[in-house]
Amino acid sequence: MLLLRRLRYLFKMSLAVSLRRALLLLLSGAIFILTVLYWNQGVIKTQSYNEAQLRPHIQKDHSSILIPLEKSWTYKCDNDRCVRVNYHRNGANVKRVSFISCSMTCGDINIWPHPTSKSQVSSHTLRFSVEDLQLRLDTPHHDVRRRLKLAFDVLVRQLRQIQRLEYASPHAEAMASASEPSAKSTDAAESPLAGGLFSSTFGSHRSGDLDSLHVKLSVHESDELNFNLDNDESYELVTSLDHRRLIVHIRAKTFFGARHGLSTLQQLIWYDDEERLLRTYASSVVNDAPKFRYRGLMLDTSRHFFSVDAIKRTISAMGLAKLNRFHWHITDAQSFPYISRHYPELAEHGAYSDSETYSEQDVREVNEYAKIFGVQVLLEIDAPAHAGNGWDWGPKRGLGELSLCINQQPWSFYCGEPPCGQLNPKNNHTYLILQRLYEEFLQLTGPTDIFHLGGDEVNLDCWAQYFNDTDLRGLWCDFMLQSNARLKVANGNVAPKHVVVWSSALTNTKCLPNSQFVVQVWGGSTWQENYDLLDNGYNIIFSHVDAWYLDCGFGSWRATGEAACSPYRTWQNVYKHRPWERMRLDKKRRKQVLGGEACLWTEQVDEGQLDNRLWPRVAALAERLWSDPNDDHDFDIVPPEVFRRISVFRNRLVELGIKAEALFPKYCAQNPGECI
């Protein structure tokens, strides 16, 4: 009996010890898992954000973006020019060279826009797969580090698409949905693991020349992530080979410079269809910085509605071309698609349909996406003119007439194109609504030193019907100054450093202080206003209708009146336009030129034509504003090497799902220099 009791006691004690051990093991495991999750939270959040924000912009129509393989041709470099040779006749014992491999190793460096300083790449190239990429972040700034991770993830996704890994099997798309592609990442400040590497999720492709391609991003000097015209966008990229490890080191003072460095790195990489691998240079040196601070693209989303995905697709191409301002002309007299938090009546009365609207979340999503590409979103509500549909509900709310001349006929008396509408300059409710809209825009896009107030094409005859005893020019000045005062209130009683207005006959009245107001000059490049505005001390942004208006050349869309500008602005027209040279500006006046912007008004453009109306013509503007290459040729002739580089850049856009316009017959692309 005593023995039985002792055995029971020993069993209970043994069970208690086992339970304690099991609990300790479970507790240790939980602590370990929580520690790993804590240390890797940045990586997890980055992947989650990318899945939500970046996935819609991988082109789903695979057949429309693949550049056909040209197995029947090989290329050789002859006097800095690729020469096409029939491979089946002449290549029996010679390794085939693809067109892109020849283009990237024959002649000058093939980057768009061309770097501002002399750059060098080796003739020796190396094969690798996107899974070989590894990231090393070298910055003490936590928020910069997170933004760089997002930018690097974009690079990996786009390289994966270029390498055609999305198309490896019928199940590729389903696999991509189940597991996000990710390159390896090292972050000394966040990773507790030795080396800090996490595995990529797609299949092995270890037949290249490299075991790894390390991308090191160094940003030490500034933690600035808010856009302003004084952002340092310079960078240095140096590539070196250490046995089977290639190291790409990008140094920059700010995130913005590092982001441009990643765009350059992407263009130093290409897909070799002979090897079915990516290639890059064994060594390279690029020192680069932009000539102009403001390099913009304006898209009008009022005359036709464009989806958030289409806008994001446009912004991703802007990032590759190193453009840095997306001017979103979000409303006009035709429609008011933005759903205001304070005044939803504007969209209720002004949108084309319930589905053709932009919510605050839509705008925020576009803005967050653009930041990853180094692109600032500038929202514009044109005022006082170009404000009709959406503004007609004031009397029902006891606010009086917010806008005048809405849809008035004959329209040619009261506005530049139908429908008419011009805000009421003597209704205080109008200014309050504008103030609230400015508040919303600033909250959605973040701190800025530049804001666009509109001010375009005011028709004084419209106002004359109501205020014929008033100095109408002075009325426009008062309106713009009051709008600017409301902008200051909306911005926390801080006046933005730069306030932009469109040029017109009224901008030369000198009533707007030149210390703050910037004039976006859209008239002809030979008009006197170009000189007058500079003489009056204004900073300017060039958007000349005769060079950088991309909607021109498609004929009249109305039966009566002038409804079209012509001729079509070719990419050569865009590229050759150097107004600062044609105007022979001295050093002082050149400093007043902040940059330029291409404009796409959308009377005859909807989402189906967006890509080919913009690209590659906007890329021509990008190089003009980034490096502004010296032009030793005739004003009407573009150098052959520019044809070669923009043709390759256009193909890069097509690989990424941008349906860019063809530049010339494909024969000319395959035979550089023969068609010029």
Side-chain angles (χ1 to χ4, degrees), residues 277-293:
L277 287 168
L278 300 175
R279 277 190 177 272
T280 191
Y281 303 102
S283 65
S284 56
V285 177
V286 180
N287 287 286
D288 208 3
K291 291 287 184 69
F292 290 96
R293 296 180 282 169

Side-chain angles (χ1 to χ4, degrees), residues 586-637:
D586 59 27
K587 188 175 293 187
K588 175 187 175 185
R589 282 169 175 74
R590 281 204 180 207
K591 287 183 179 179
Q592 293 172 238
V593 179
L594 300 182
E597 182 171 279
C599 299
L600 183 63
W601 304 101
T602 59
E603 287 92 345
Q604 297 174 279
V605 185
D606 65 10
E607 194 159 321
Q609 296 95 37
L610 180 63
D611 287 3
N612 58 47
R613 290 287 172 90
L614 291 176
W615 306 102
R617 291 189 293 165
V618 180
L621 174 83
E623 177 154 302
R624 179 52 58 208
L625 296 174
W626 179 272
S627 49
D628 189 27
N630 290 328
D631 203 339
D632 298 328
H633 295 71
D634 182 86
F635 272 120
D636 296 324
I637 299 175

Side-chain angles (χ1 to χ4, degrees), residues 25 33 274 282 319 347 360 459 536 587 611:
L25 283 171
I33 291 170
E274 185 69 13
E360 284 189 306
N459 188 295
N536 290 335
K587 188 175 293 187
D611 287 3

Side-chain angles (χ1 to χ4, degrees), residues 497-542:
K497 185 177 180 180
H498 306 283
V499 176
V500 187
V501 295
W502 293 100
S503 64
S504 71
L506 300 173
T507 45
N508 269 321
T509 57
K510 303 181 185 179
C511 63
L512 305 179
N514 60 20
S515 59
Q516 184 185 16
F517 278 84
V518 176
V519 181
Q520 184 168 358
V521 183
W522 68 268
S525 60
T526 60
W527 292 7
Q528 183 61 36
E529 69 171 354
N530 293 279
Y531 301 93
D532 292 342
L533 289 166
L534 289 169
D535 289 343
N536 290 335
Y538 289 104
N539 289 332
I540 60 175
I541 297 168
F542 285 126

Side-chain angles (χ1 to χ4, degrees), residues 233-359:
E233 298 179 86
S234 64
Y235 68 93
E236 177 190 50
L237 183 151
V238 178
T239 302
S240 58
L241 181 62
D242 180 14
H243 295 94
R244 288 179 57 88
R245 182 178 69 160
L246 189 67
I247 302 169
V248 179
H249 193 180
I250 297 173
R251 299 181 183 88
K253 295 179 181 178
T254 66
F255 162 79
F256 306 100
R259 181 65 187 83
H260 295 320
L262 286 175
S263 293
T264 292
L265 172 59
Q266 184 166 339
Q267 293 190 55
L268 296 176
I269 296 170
W270 64 95
Y271 176 67
D272 190 321
D273 60 37
E274 185 69 13
E275 305 283 351
R276 295 184 61 197
L277 287 168
L278 300 175
R279 277 190 177 272
T280 191
Y281 303 102
S283 65
S284 56
V285 177
V286 180
N287 287 286
D288 208 3
K291 291 287 184 69
F292 290 96
R293 296 180 282 169
Y294 188 107
R295 307 179 303 282
L297 167 64
M298 189 224 72
L299 177 64
D300 159 29
T301 63
S302 170
R303 288 167 177 83
H304 276 98
F305 180 83
F306 295 85
S307 69
V308 167
D309 277 1
I311 294 172
K312 286 182 173 181
R313 190 172 68 246
T314 299
I315 288 171
S316 67
M318 290 177 66
L320 189 62
K322 301 185 177 74
L323 292 164
N324 65 355
R325 298 292 187 281
F326 176 67
H327 176 179
W328 190 349
H329 188 88
I330 195 169
T331 70
D332 211 289
Q334 285 79 4
S335 75
F336 199 108
Y338 171 67
I339 303 174
S340 166
R341 183 192 333 140
H342 292 96
Y343 299 101
E345 297 92 340
L346 290 162
E348 290 169 4
H349 289 254
Y352 290 128
S353 68
D354 290 344
S355 62
E356 294 171 288
T357 57
Y358 302 108
S359 66

Side-chain angles (χ1 to χ4, degrees), residues 450-464:
I450 187 168
F451 195 91
H452 208 300
L453 283 182
D456 190 27
E457 292 184 322
V458 171
N459 188 295
L460 298 181
D461 290 332
C462 167
W463 280 348

